[in-house]
Amino acid sequence: MHPNEAETDADLVRRLLRAQFPRWAELPISRLASGGTVNAIYRLGADLTVRLPLHPGGAEAVAMEARLLPQLAPLLPLPIPEVVATGAPGEGYPLPWAVHRWIEGRNPVEGDLSEPRLVAKGLAEFAIAIRQIDLPGGPPAHRGKPLITEDQETRTAIEALRRTDEPFDADEITAAWEEALAVPPWTGPACWTHSDLMPSNLLLAGDRVSAIIDFGTVGMGEPATDLIPAWNLLPASARPAYRDAVDVDDATWARGRGWALSMAVIQLPYYRDTNPVISANARYVIREILATSAQREQGPAPARPGPSTRARKKIRTAMSRIRARLRPRGERDHNGSHDHQGEPRWPSTCC
């Protein structure tokens, strides 16, 4: 999927275990099929998984998860990964790696939920709980900067999509993106966010969310980034229930829509030939967002007093102005988007 990606296989995993954790070295090992783009994941026996980062940017999450997950786990309403051990580079593999406790469950498929309102309820409870955590010393979230910082990369990806045979109107995508950029930015304090609630990072048991996994993007940011399941997983019929349960103002909801669109637009041209899971999800997001304007999605939300009411007025005014003054492509100045760690920035879902 990525240039210079680390090569892994079951034999490498066994060699690493024999050298560093011999008590697990003879357990059965099998690679798990995954839509993730950051780690290769291997089932180890019945109770464990081995996670091998595919590139250095993903490796930085190994130590962070080992430090933060034990602190976050008791503060969240759903199970999250438990780090059992961390390994060092070796046997020709150049990066740190980790052993996690196995969590039973299945990944949901976008738009294919038998009880989408139950899923919406579980996701909303998680989103509310994580943003209310009072735990100092959190790192910046992977998507912890203002939405405008994604502008250049998003517009570049839109132009890349224009040159493919994907069945989307690039001008419509641009208009939806500019609607998102017209929304007032987050002015509240930074809060904890997972920052990558993709279907591949969720587990279901029956019809309910049973666990949230892959916390390599967790950190301090704004709550809009954890609203993306409204468009990358839920059908339109369940979106109002999620909106009501997650309890955010119009501007935050609209920025969440913008984050979902930006992620999908960036992922699709990059992964369309290498990752069918991510590509299918990106297409779903783009279809869902283009099918419903931001203003129509705002409509069903109940009126809220105070700042929420003011935010609604601002977003409606801003959207009216942006439609009135839209100029042809290429006439706007764009802010660049750079990974804060200085690594090559790949479109990512953390898994």
Side-chain angles (χ1 to χ4, degrees):
M1 289 181 290
H2 309 302
N4 302 316
E5 185 174 284
E7 295 185 3
T8 72
D9 56 26
D11 182 63
L12 170 65
V13 174
R14 195 170 301 282
R15 296 199 315 271
L16 287 167
L17 292 170
R18 283 174 176 160
Q20 301 182 40
F21 303 109
R23 63 189 180 278
W24 297 321
E26 303 310 315
L27 293 174
I29 299 170
S30 59
R31 182 160 185 169
L32 297 178
S34 169
T37 65
V38 178
N39 298 290
I41 307 174
Y42 292 81
R43 183 93 184 252
L44 177 60
D47 301 319
L48 302 170
T49 62
V50 174
R51 299 169 60 81
L52 301 179
L54 296 173
H55 54 76
E60 295 180 10
V62 172
M64 183 186 74
E65 286 189 316
R67 176 173 63 89
L68 291 179
L69 290 179
Q71 301 177 62
L72 294 172
L75 305 176
L76 293 169
L78 292 168
I80 67 174
E82 176 188 350
V83 180
V84 180
T86 56
E91 304 300 316
Y93 176 74
L95 302 170
W97 51 284
V99 180
H100 285 193
R101 189 77 60 194
W102 172 259
I103 304 177
E104 195 64 48
R106 72 182 192 282
N107 294 125
V109 177
E110 57 274 0
D112 186 20
L113 302 171
S114 57
E115 295 290 344
R117 285 175 176 80
L118 287 179
V119 173
K121 180 177 181 292
L123 289 171
E125 290 172 352
F126 176 85
I128 291 171
I130 196 168
R131 76 183 186 222
Q132 291 177 342
I133 288 176
D134 182 14
L135 184 65
H142 178 67
R143 297 181 176 94
K145 297 178 181 179
L147 186 61
I148 187 64
T149 62
E150 302 298 310
D151 189 38
Q152 181 176 329
E153 190 172 6
T154 300
R155 291 179 189 270
T156 299
I158 292 171
E159 292 310 303
L161 274 180
R162 191 189 296 276
R163 297 189 293 271
T164 71
D165 59 357
E166 295 290 341
F168 301 112
D169 186 319
D171 293 333
E172 288 186 23
I173 297 174
T174 300
W177 174 239
E178 289 177 339
E179 282 190 347
L181 293 181
V183 175
W186 175 250
T187 58
C191 61
W192 282 91
T193 70
H194 180 280
S195 196
D196 197 28
L197 292 177
M198 297 284 291
S200 57
N201 292 336
L202 313 175
L203 294 178
L204 301 187
D207 297 326
R208 297 177 182 272
V209 181
S210 58
I212 307 293
I213 57 176
D214 296 304
F215 278 67
T217 57
V218 74
M220 306 301 291
E222 70 132 316
T225 55
D226 282 347
L227 303 180
I228 60 174
W231 299 275
N232 72 25
L233 176 61
L234 298 176
S237 61
R239 212 163 288 142
Y242 183 62
R243 164 74 193 270
D244 292 344
V246 82
D247 191 29
V248 295
D249 62 27
D250 286 350
T252 302
W253 182 255
R255 288 193 306 276
R257 186 176 185 268
W259 279 108
L261 179 62
S262 174
M263 290 170 64
V265 167
I266 292 169
Q267 289 164 353
L268 183 52
Y270 189 92
Y271 289 118
R272 64 194 298 263
D273 296 323
T274 60
N275 192 317
V277 174
I278 294 299
S279 299
N281 187 262
R283 293 184 186 102
Y284 179 83
V285 173
I286 296 170
R287 284 194 301 267
E288 289 296 299
I289 288 178
L290 295 187
T292 309
S293 76
Q295 275 192 309
R296 291 204 305 274
E297 285 193 343
Q298 311 270 352
R304 294 180 173 89
S308 299
T309 301
R310 292 195 296 272
R312 281 196 298 275
K313 291 179 180 177
K314 289 180 180 179
I315 189 172
R316 287 168 185 154
T317 300
M319 286 180 179
S320 297
R321 289 174 178 169
I322 196 74
R323 290 191 184 100
R325 67 170 186 260
L326 281 178
R327 300 198 295 257
R329 275 183 308 108
E331 292 184 12
R332 292 173 181 262
D333 293 326
H334 311 312
N335 290 335
S337 177
H338 304 280
D339 189 281
H340 69 277
Q341 297 166 340
E343 295 290 342
R345 185 171 180 187
W346 297 290
S348 70
T349 69
C350 186
C351 184

